[in-house]
Amino acid sequence: MNLSLNDENPCNTTELSTYQEKGYFYIANDPALYMLFTVINIVQAISKDPIHNLFLMDKNGRALAANNRSIEQALTSRISIHDLADSNYTCEHLDIFTEAYQVAVAPYIHPEDEYSFWKAQPNCKFDILTSAHGLIKGSRSAALLKNNLINEICQLTDQPKFKIAQYERAKKAKHQYEQASKLVNSLKKSFSKLLVLRIDFCWKNQAASTIDEMKTYFSRFLKKFHHEKNLPNIVGYLWKLEFGQQKGYHYHCIFFMDGNKFQRDGYYAEVIGRYWSKLTLDKGFYYNCHRDKIKYRNLAIGMAHHDDQSFFNNLDQVLLYICKQDQFLISKRLLTPKLRVFGTSQRPSKAKMVGRPRKFKTIPTDTTLSSKLAVIAKNRSAFNHNQGIQK
Protein backbone atom coordinates (compact mmCIF):
# COMPACT_ATOMS: atom_id res chain seq x y z
CA MET A 1 0.00 0.00 0.00
CA ASN A 2 1.42 3.37 -1.02
CA LEU A 3 1.43 6.19 1.48
CA SER A 4 0.67 9.81 0.77
CA LEU A 5 1.14 12.97 2.78
CA ASN A 6 -2.60 13.48 2.30
CA ASP A 7 -3.59 10.13 3.79
CA GLU A 8 -6.04 10.61 6.64
CA ASN A 9 -5.82 7.26 8.37
CA PRO A 10 -3.60 7.15 11.46
CA CYS A 11 -0.12 6.32 10.21
CA ASN A 12 1.63 5.50 13.45
CA THR A 13 -0.65 2.67 14.59
CA THR A 14 2.07 0.11 13.88
CA GLU A 15 4.86 2.25 15.31
CA LEU A 16 3.14 2.68 18.65
CA SER A 17 1.67 -0.79 18.94
CA THR A 18 4.70 -3.03 18.43
CA TYR A 19 7.29 -4.41 20.78
CA GLN A 20 10.40 -6.50 20.29
CA GLU A 21 11.33 -9.65 22.13
CA LYS A 22 14.42 -11.72 21.32
CA GLY A 23 14.83 -9.99 17.98
CA TYR A 24 11.22 -10.44 16.82
CA PHE A 25 8.55 -7.75 16.50
CA TYR A 26 5.00 -8.37 17.71
CA ILE A 27 1.73 -6.45 17.73
CA ALA A 28 1.08 -5.45 21.33
CA ASN A 29 -2.25 -6.12 23.02
CA ASP A 30 -2.69 -2.60 24.36
CA PRO A 31 -6.31 -1.67 25.16
CA ALA A 32 -5.36 1.92 26.03
CA LEU A 33 -3.69 2.46 22.67
CA TYR A 34 -6.55 0.71 20.88
CA MET A 35 -8.95 3.15 22.55
CA LEU A 36 -6.96 6.18 21.35
CA PHE A 37 -7.01 5.08 17.73
CA THR A 38 -10.70 4.14 17.98
CA VAL A 39 -11.52 7.68 19.12
CA ILE A 40 -9.31 9.18 16.39
CA ASN A 41 -11.07 7.06 13.76
CA ILE A 42 -14.49 8.17 15.01
CA VAL A 43 -13.63 11.87 14.88
CA GLN A 44 -11.84 11.51 11.55
CA ALA A 45 -14.81 9.68 9.99
CA ILE A 46 -17.21 12.41 11.13
CA SER A 47 -14.93 15.20 9.87
CA LYS A 48 -14.68 13.56 6.43
CA ASP A 49 -18.38 12.64 6.11
CA PRO A 50 -20.35 14.86 8.51
CA ILE A 51 -23.38 13.37 10.23
CA HIS A 52 -25.39 15.15 12.92
CA ASN A 53 -27.29 12.17 14.32
CA LEU A 54 -26.09 8.64 14.89
CA PHE A 55 -29.62 7.19 15.29
CA LEU A 56 -32.88 7.73 13.48
CA MET A 57 -35.59 8.44 16.06
CA ASP A 58 -39.37 8.03 15.93
CA LYS A 59 -41.79 10.71 17.07
CA ASN A 60 -41.78 9.23 20.59
CA GLY A 61 -38.02 9.59 20.91
CA ARG A 62 -37.19 5.91 20.44
CA ALA A 63 -34.21 4.86 18.32
CA LEU A 64 -35.10 3.06 15.11
CA ALA A 65 -31.76 2.41 13.37
CA ALA A 66 -28.20 3.67 13.20
CA ASN A 67 -27.14 6.01 10.40
CA ASN A 68 -23.59 4.66 10.60
CA ARG A 69 -23.11 1.14 11.93
CA SER A 70 -19.32 1.42 12.05
CA ILE A 71 -19.40 4.45 14.35
CA GLU A 72 -22.12 2.84 16.47
CA GLN A 73 -19.98 -0.26 16.97
CA ALA A 74 -16.86 1.82 17.65
CA LEU A 75 -18.67 3.71 20.41
CA THR A 76 -19.36 0.43 22.20
CA SER A 77 -15.61 -0.11 22.60
CA ARG A 78 -13.90 0.37 25.93
CA ILE A 79 -13.76 4.18 26.02
CA SER A 80 -12.85 6.13 29.14
CA ILE A 81 -12.79 9.93 29.22
CA HIS A 82 -10.57 9.78 32.30
CA ASP A 83 -8.06 7.56 30.49
CA LEU A 84 -8.06 9.88 27.48
CA ALA A 85 -7.10 12.78 29.72
CA ASP A 86 -4.35 10.76 31.43
CA SER A 87 -2.84 9.41 28.20
CA ASN A 88 0.79 10.14 27.29
CA TYR A 89 -0.40 10.98 23.78
CA THR A 90 -2.30 13.90 22.35
CA CYS A 91 -3.85 15.17 19.14
CA GLU A 92 -6.69 17.43 18.14
CA HIS A 93 -9.03 14.47 17.59
CA LEU A 94 -8.76 13.34 21.21
CA ASP A 95 -9.29 16.91 22.41
CA ILE A 96 -12.46 17.27 20.35
CA PHE A 97 -13.93 13.97 21.51
CA THR A 98 -13.30 14.85 25.16
CA GLU A 99 -14.76 18.34 24.76
CA ALA A 100 -17.84 17.02 22.98
CA TYR A 101 -18.42 14.44 25.71
CA GLN A 102 -18.19 17.06 28.45
CA VAL A 103 -20.80 19.20 26.70
CA ALA A 104 -23.21 16.60 25.31
CA VAL A 105 -23.08 13.68 27.75
CA ALA A 106 -21.37 14.38 31.08
CA PRO A 107 -24.08 16.74 32.48
CA TYR A 108 -26.78 14.12 31.92
CA ILE A 109 -25.37 10.93 33.43
CA HIS A 110 -23.75 9.99 36.70
CA PRO A 111 -19.92 9.65 36.36
CA GLU A 112 -20.15 6.03 37.52
CA ASP A 113 -22.48 5.27 34.60
CA GLU A 114 -19.95 6.15 31.90
CA TYR A 115 -18.83 2.57 31.23
CA SER A 116 -22.40 1.29 30.97
CA PHE A 117 -23.32 4.26 28.77
CA TRP A 118 -20.95 3.16 25.99
CA LYS A 119 -22.26 -0.40 26.14
CA ALA A 120 -25.95 0.47 26.58
CA GLN A 121 -28.70 -0.40 24.11
CA PRO A 122 -29.94 2.68 22.22
CA ASN A 123 -33.20 3.01 24.15
CA CYS A 124 -31.69 2.44 27.60
CA LYS A 125 -32.55 5.38 29.88
CA PHE A 126 -30.11 7.29 32.07
CA ASP A 127 -31.44 9.36 34.94
CA ILE A 128 -30.55 13.04 35.28
CA LEU A 129 -29.89 13.93 38.92
CA THR A 130 -30.05 17.33 40.58
CA SER A 131 -26.70 18.47 41.89
CA ALA A 132 -28.17 19.73 45.19
CA HIS A 133 -30.07 16.75 46.52
CA GLY A 134 -29.35 13.94 44.08
CA LEU A 135 -33.02 13.76 43.08
CA ILE A 136 -34.09 12.46 39.68
CA LYS A 137 -35.29 15.31 37.51
CA GLY A 138 -35.56 13.48 34.21
CA SER A 139 -33.92 10.91 31.94
CA ARG A 140 -32.42 10.62 28.49
CA SER A 141 -31.82 7.59 26.31
CA ALA A 142 -28.37 6.42 25.24
CA ALA A 143 -29.41 7.06 21.62
CA LEU A 144 -30.31 10.69 22.32
CA LEU A 145 -27.07 11.29 24.24
CA LYS A 146 -25.00 9.70 21.49
CA ASN A 147 -26.84 11.78 18.89
CA ASN A 148 -25.92 14.88 20.85
CA LEU A 149 -22.31 13.68 21.13
CA ILE A 150 -21.99 13.09 17.38
CA ASN A 151 -23.60 16.44 16.61
CA GLU A 152 -21.18 18.22 18.93
CA ILE A 153 -18.19 16.45 17.33
CA CYS A 154 -19.51 17.42 13.90
CA GLN A 155 -19.69 21.08 14.91
CA LEU A 156 -16.26 21.11 16.56
CA THR A 157 -14.53 19.53 13.55
CA ASP A 158 -15.92 22.34 11.43
CA GLN A 159 -14.30 25.01 13.62
CA PRO A 160 -11.10 26.84 12.59
CA LYS A 161 -9.21 25.51 15.64
CA PHE A 162 -9.47 21.90 14.44
CA LYS A 163 -8.73 22.72 10.83
CA ILE A 164 -5.69 24.84 11.72
CA ALA A 165 -4.31 22.06 13.96
CA GLN A 166 -4.61 19.56 11.11
CA TYR A 167 -3.02 22.00 8.68
CA GLU A 168 -0.05 22.70 10.97
CA ARG A 169 0.52 18.99 11.60
CA ALA A 170 0.41 18.20 7.88
CA LYS A 171 2.66 21.17 7.14
CA LYS A 172 5.28 19.87 9.58
CA ALA A 173 5.18 16.39 8.04
CA LYS A 174 5.46 17.85 4.53
CA HIS A 175 8.49 19.96 5.50
CA GLN A 176 10.27 16.94 6.97
CA TYR A 177 9.51 14.87 3.89
CA GLU A 178 10.77 17.60 1.56
CA GLN A 179 14.05 17.89 3.49
CA ALA A 180 14.54 14.12 3.41
CA SER A 181 13.73 13.94 -0.32
CA LYS A 182 16.14 16.75 -1.15
CA LEU A 183 18.93 14.89 0.65
CA VAL A 184 18.22 11.61 -1.16
CA ASN A 185 17.97 13.31 -4.57
CA SER A 186 21.22 15.18 -3.99
CA LEU A 187 23.02 11.99 -2.98
CA LYS A 188 21.54 10.16 -5.95
CA LYS A 189 23.01 12.79 -8.29
CA SER A 190 26.41 12.66 -6.58
CA PHE A 191 26.85 8.87 -6.45
CA SER A 192 26.07 6.29 -9.11
CA LYS A 193 25.49 3.74 -6.33
CA LEU A 194 24.37 4.26 -2.73
CA LEU A 195 24.58 1.80 0.12
CA VAL A 196 21.55 2.45 2.36
CA LEU A 197 21.62 1.46 6.04
CA ARG A 198 18.67 1.54 8.45
CA ILE A 199 19.16 1.32 12.21
CA ASP A 200 16.98 2.18 15.20
CA PHE A 201 18.71 3.48 18.33
CA CYS A 202 16.98 2.91 21.67
CA TRP A 203 17.54 3.32 25.41
CA LYS A 204 17.32 0.89 28.31
CA ASN A 205 15.49 1.54 31.58
CA GLN A 206 13.88 4.79 30.49
CA ALA A 207 12.93 7.43 33.05
CA ALA A 208 11.94 11.10 33.18
CA SER A 209 15.51 12.23 32.45
CA THR A 210 16.01 9.79 29.57
CA ILE A 211 15.32 12.18 26.71
CA ASP A 212 17.94 14.71 27.84
CA GLU A 213 20.60 12.06 28.29
CA MET A 214 19.69 10.27 25.09
CA LYS A 215 19.73 13.36 22.86
CA THR A 216 23.11 14.42 24.34
CA TYR A 217 24.62 11.05 23.44
CA PHE A 218 22.95 11.06 20.02
CA SER A 219 24.39 14.48 19.16
CA ARG A 220 27.83 13.29 20.23
CA PHE A 221 27.30 10.10 18.23
CA LEU A 222 26.62 11.93 14.96
CA LYS A 223 29.68 14.14 15.42
CA LYS A 224 31.85 11.02 15.79
CA PHE A 225 31.31 10.22 12.10
CA HIS A 226 33.59 13.13 11.19
CA HIS A 227 36.72 11.67 12.73
CA GLU A 228 36.20 8.32 14.51
CA LYS A 229 38.34 5.68 12.78
CA ASN A 230 36.10 2.83 13.98
CA LEU A 231 33.03 4.25 12.21
CA PRO A 232 32.44 3.82 8.46
CA ASN A 233 32.63 6.64 5.92
CA ILE A 234 29.07 7.91 5.38
CA VAL A 235 27.99 10.49 2.83
CA GLY A 236 24.69 11.45 4.44
CA TYR A 237 22.11 10.59 7.06
CA LEU A 238 18.63 11.45 8.35
CA TRP A 239 16.95 10.74 11.67
CA LYS A 240 13.57 10.98 13.42
CA LEU A 241 12.94 10.89 17.17
CA GLU A 242 9.85 8.93 18.24
CA PHE A 243 8.20 7.83 21.45
CA GLY A 244 6.49 4.42 21.31
CA GLN A 245 4.13 2.91 23.87
CA GLN A 246 6.33 -0.19 24.11
CA LYS A 247 9.77 1.04 22.97
CA GLY A 248 9.85 4.43 24.64
CA TYR A 249 12.15 7.03 23.07
CA HIS A 250 14.02 5.85 19.99
CA TYR A 251 15.67 7.26 16.88
CA HIS A 252 14.93 5.98 13.39
CA CYS A 253 18.08 6.52 11.32
CA ILE A 254 19.00 6.06 7.67
CA PHE A 255 22.70 6.26 6.72
CA PHE A 256 24.08 6.51 3.17
CA MET A 257 27.47 5.30 1.96
CA ASP A 258 29.24 5.43 -1.41
CA GLY A 259 28.13 2.17 -3.03
CA ASN A 260 31.07 2.23 -5.43
CA LYS A 261 33.44 1.75 -2.50
CA PHE A 262 31.37 -0.14 0.07
CA GLN A 263 29.02 -3.10 -0.37
CA ARG A 264 28.55 -4.90 2.98
CA ASP A 265 25.48 -3.12 4.32
CA GLY A 266 24.76 -5.58 7.13
CA TYR A 267 28.33 -5.39 8.35
CA TYR A 268 28.46 -1.57 8.40
CA ALA A 269 25.07 -1.35 10.10
CA GLU A 270 26.38 -3.67 12.80
CA VAL A 271 29.53 -1.56 13.21
CA ILE A 272 27.44 1.58 13.70
CA GLY A 273 25.02 -0.12 16.08
CA ARG A 274 27.75 -1.55 18.25
CA TYR A 275 29.48 1.80 18.40
CA TRP A 276 26.25 3.34 19.73
CA SER A 277 26.11 0.73 22.49
CA LYS A 278 29.75 1.29 23.35
CA LEU A 279 29.49 5.10 23.32
CA THR A 280 26.47 5.05 25.65
CA LEU A 281 28.19 2.60 28.03
CA ASP A 282 25.54 0.01 27.11
CA LYS A 283 22.72 2.28 28.24
CA GLY A 284 21.67 2.37 24.61
CA PHE A 285 20.90 -0.52 22.29
CA TYR A 286 20.02 -0.84 18.60
CA TYR A 287 17.98 -2.73 16.00
CA ASN A 288 19.94 -3.67 12.89
CA CYS A 289 17.28 -3.80 10.17
CA HIS A 290 19.64 -5.67 7.83
CA ARG A 291 19.46 -9.03 9.53
CA ASP A 292 17.22 -11.44 7.63
CA LYS A 293 16.62 -8.61 5.15
CA ILE A 294 15.44 -11.11 2.53
CA LYS A 295 12.21 -11.22 4.54
CA TYR A 296 11.61 -7.48 4.21
CA ARG A 297 13.30 -6.66 0.93
CA ASN A 298 10.86 -3.81 0.20
CA LEU A 299 12.10 -1.68 3.10
CA ALA A 300 14.72 0.02 0.90
CA ILE A 301 17.98 -1.14 2.46
CA GLY A 302 21.21 -2.33 0.86
CA MET A 303 22.63 -1.38 -2.52
CA ALA A 304 20.80 1.17 -4.67
CA HIS A 305 21.92 1.79 -8.26
CA HIS A 306 21.05 5.25 -9.57
CA ASP A 307 18.71 3.75 -12.21
CA ASP A 308 16.96 1.35 -9.82
CA GLN A 309 13.65 3.21 -9.70
CA SER A 310 11.94 0.42 -7.77
CA PHE A 311 14.42 0.80 -4.91
CA PHE A 312 14.02 4.57 -4.76
CA ASN A 313 10.23 4.24 -4.91
CA ASN A 314 10.42 1.99 -1.85
CA LEU A 315 12.80 4.43 -0.17
CA ASP A 316 10.35 7.24 -0.87
CA GLN A 317 7.63 5.24 0.92
CA VAL A 318 9.95 4.79 3.90
CA LEU A 319 10.57 8.54 4.02
CA LEU A 320 6.83 9.22 3.90
CA TYR A 321 6.21 6.77 6.71
CA ILE A 322 8.93 8.21 8.93
CA CYS A 323 7.85 11.80 8.32
CA LYS A 324 4.16 11.02 8.96
CA GLN A 325 4.73 9.19 12.24
CA ASP A 326 3.42 12.00 14.43
CA GLN A 327 0.72 13.21 12.05
CA PHE A 328 -1.94 11.86 14.41
CA LEU A 329 -0.74 10.75 17.81
CA ILE A 330 2.28 12.46 19.31
CA SER A 331 3.71 11.90 22.75
CA LYS A 332 3.18 14.84 25.10
CA ARG A 333 6.83 14.40 26.03
CA LEU A 334 7.83 15.42 22.49
CA LEU A 335 5.99 18.73 22.75
CA THR A 336 8.87 20.21 24.76
CA PRO A 337 9.77 23.62 23.28
CA LYS A 338 12.87 23.57 21.04
CA LEU A 339 13.13 19.75 21.14
CA ARG A 340 14.20 18.68 17.65
CA VAL A 341 12.50 15.52 16.47
CA PHE A 342 13.86 15.38 12.90
CA GLY A 343 17.14 16.16 11.18
CA THR A 344 19.32 15.46 8.14
CA SER A 345 22.95 15.91 7.23
CA GLN A 346 23.90 18.68 4.84
CA ARG A 347 23.27 17.97 1.18
CA PRO A 348 26.56 17.34 -0.65
CA SER A 349 27.73 20.08 -3.01
CA LYS A 350 30.03 17.52 -4.54
CA ALA A 351 30.71 13.84 -4.00
CA LYS A 352 32.51 13.60 -0.70
CA MET A 353 32.31 11.57 2.47
CA VAL A 354 31.64 12.79 5.99
CA GLY A 355 35.01 13.02 7.78
CA ARG A 356 38.39 11.72 6.72
CA PRO A 357 38.87 8.29 5.05
CA ARG A 358 39.56 5.51 7.52
CA LYS A 359 39.80 1.74 7.88
CA PHE A 360 38.31 -0.55 10.49
CA LYS A 361 40.37 -2.42 13.02
CA THR A 362 37.71 -4.87 14.10
CA ILE A 363 35.03 -6.84 12.31
CA PRO A 364 31.88 -7.65 14.30
CA THR A 365 30.74 -11.25 14.50
CA ASP A 366 27.14 -12.36 14.05
CA THR A 367 24.85 -12.27 17.06
CA THR A 368 21.41 -13.67 17.62
CA LEU A 369 19.78 -10.23 17.28
CA SER A 370 17.25 -10.39 14.45
CA SER A 371 14.89 -7.51 13.65
CA LYS A 372 12.18 -9.30 11.75
CA LEU A 373 10.13 -6.33 10.65
CA ALA A 374 8.17 -8.53 8.26
CA VAL A 375 5.99 -9.48 11.22
CA ILE A 376 4.77 -5.88 11.35
CA ALA A 377 3.86 -5.85 7.68
CA LYS A 378 2.04 -9.15 8.05
CA ASN A 379 -0.04 -8.06 11.04
CA ARG A 380 -0.52 -4.38 10.33
CA SER A 381 -3.52 -4.68 8.03
CA ALA A 382 -5.31 -7.00 10.46
CA PHE A 383 -4.62 -4.64 13.37
CA ASN A 384 -5.96 -1.62 11.49
CA HIS A 385 -8.99 -3.57 10.23
CA ASN A 386 -10.02 -4.46 13.78
CA GLN A 387 -10.14 -0.80 14.82
CA GLY A 388 -10.91 1.05 11.59
CA ILE A 389 -14.08 2.93 10.70
CA GLN A 390 -15.70 1.89 7.45
CA LYS A 391 -17.78 4.50 5.74
Side-chain angles (χ1 to χ4, degrees):
M1 179 182 69
N2 288 339
L3 298 174
S4 165
L5 281 172
N6 295 319
D7 286 348
E8 294 187 341
N9 288 321
C11 180
N12 55 341
T13 304
T14 301
E15 174 65 21
L16 297 176
S17 61
T18 57
Y19 68 96
Q20 188 187 42
E21 184 175 296
K22 296 181 179 179
Y24 292 82
F25 282 92
Y26 301 91
I27 297 295
N29 180 19
D30 190 336
L33 192 62
Y34 179 88
M35 176 189 67
L36 298 182
F37 281 109
T38 296
V39 169
I40 289 174
N41 279 326
I42 291 171
V43 175
Q44 194 67 14
I46 295 171
S47 69
K48 289 173 62 179
D49 186 14
I51 60 172
H52 293 274
N53 292 295
L54 181 59
F55 294 98
L56 294 173
M57 311 286 282
D58 66 17
K59 61 181 181 180
N60 296 317
R62 291 184 60 82
L64 298 175
N67 288 318
N68 188 308
R69 288 285 297 167
S70 295
I71 292 180
E72 181 196 18
Q73 292 174 2
L75 285 175
T76 63
S77 302
R78 174 66 174 90
I79 296 176
S80 167
I81 298 300
H82 179 269
D83 290 347
L84 286 180
D86 283 352
S87 171
N88 287 329
Y89 298 99
T90 185
C91 72
E92 58 272 19
H93 304 74
L94 303 182
D95 293 341
I96 276 186
F97 190 90
T98 301
E99 182 179 349
Y101 179 88
Q102 297 299 343
V103 171
V105 180
Y108 307 105
I109 67 172
H110 193 280
E112 294 181 358
D113 289 336
E114 184 194 344
Y115 177 77
S116 58
F117 164 71
W118 299 117
K119 300 290 185 180
Q121 292 297 313
N123 292 307
C124 177
K125 297 285 187 177
F126 288 86
D127 294 331
I128 305 172
L129 305 179
T130 62
S131 58
H133 305 289
L135 300 176
I136 297 175
K137 64 176 182 179
S139 62
R140 296 193 180 189
S141 68
L144 179 58
L145 292 172
K146 288 181 180 179
N147 276 354
N148 293 342
L149 174 68
I150 296 302
N151 182 61
E152 190 67 24
I153 292 173
C154 189
Q155 293 187 47
L156 290 173
T157 55
D158 196 41
Q159 296 298 310
K161 180 180 178 181
F162 177 76
K163 294 180 178 180
I164 290 173
Q166 288 202 303
Y167 170 79
E168 291 297 331
R169 192 183 295 273
K171 180 181 177 182
K172 178 181 177 182
K174 182 180 180 181
H175 174 73
Q176 293 177 357
Y177 170 70
E178 289 175 346
Q179 293 300 109
S181 295
K182 287 178 181 178
L183 174 65
V184 171
N185 290 334
S186 180
L187 291 170
K188 186 178 177 181
K189 291 178 181 178
S190 298
F191 300 92
S192 60
K193 291 191 292 184
L194 285 170
L195 193 66
V196 183
L197 315 179
R198 289 186 59 191
I199 314 169
D200 291 348
F201 299 105
C202 310
W203 204 259
K204 302 175 184 176
N205 304 318
Q206 297 200 13
S209 60
T210 292
I211 185 59
D212 292 327
E213 186 175 16
M214 190 176 184
K215 70 179 184 181
T216 298
Y217 272 109
F218 188 71
S219 176
R220 187 186 308 169
F221 176 64
L222 292 180
K223 292 177 181 177
K224 291 288 186 180
F225 281 96
H226 291 275
H227 56 79
E228 175 56 56
K229 62 182 180 181
N230 290 319
L231 282 172
N233 292 109
I234 63 171
V235 294
Y237 62 80
L238 62 89
W239 57 267
K240 180 71 179 287
L241 174 63
E242 297 289 344
F243 181 87
Q245 187 78 3
Q246 298 291 331
K247 292 182 284 186
Y249 292 110
H250 56 282
Y251 286 95
H252 293 295
C253 293
I254 302 179
F255 296 96
F256 302 92
M257 301 179 68
D258 183 353
N260 295 293
K261 298 179 179 179
F262 307 98
Q263 291 81 40
R264 300 167 61 191
D265 53 295
Y267 161 62
Y268 295 118
E270 192 71 13
V271 169
I272 294 173
R274 291 191 176 193
Y275 191 87
W276 166 256
S277 295
K278 180 180 178 181
L279 178 69
T280 60
L281 307 177
D282 284 328
K283 295 178 182 179
F285 62 104
Y286 63 96
Y287 298 144
N288 180 351
C289 299
H290 296 254
R291 295 186 174 276
D292 294 330
K293 66 179 181 180
I294 188 86
K295 296 184 180 180
Y296 45 96
R297 65 190 67 178
N298 293 329
L299 292 188
I301 56 178
M303 187 64 70
H305 298 260
H306 76 281
D307 59 351
D308 187 350
Q309 193 57 45
S310 178
F311 184 100
F312 284 101
N313 287 342
N314 286 332
L315 180 57
D316 190 63
Q317 292 297 297
V318 171
L319 299 181
L320 279 167
Y321 182 78
I322 290 177
C323 294
K324 280 172 60 72
Q325 281 301 295
D326 59 359
Q327 189 165 339
F328 282 83
L329 276 182
I330 185 170
S331 169
K332 294 176 181 177
R333 307 181 192 190
L334 295 183
L335 296 178
T336 304
K338 298 183 180 180
L339 174 63
R340 291 185 65 199
V341 296
F342 177 81
T344 71
S345 61
Q346 292 184 346
R347 296 193 297 273
S349 56
K350 58 181 180 179
K352 63 178 182 179
M353 292 178 285
V354 176
R356 60 182 176 83
R358 47 199 178 268
K359 295 182 179 180
F360 300 112
K361 290 185 176 181
T362 59
I363 297 178
T365 57
D366 281 344
T367 68
T368 57
L369 178 62
S370 176
S371 301
K372 297 188 176 180
L373 296 178
V375 177
I376 293 178
K378 181 178 180 181
N379 293 323
R380 179 181 181 185
S381 60
F383 183 84
N384 287 336
H385 176 73
N386 289 335
Q387 65 173 358
I389 301 297
Q390 302 296 326
K391 291 176 56 179

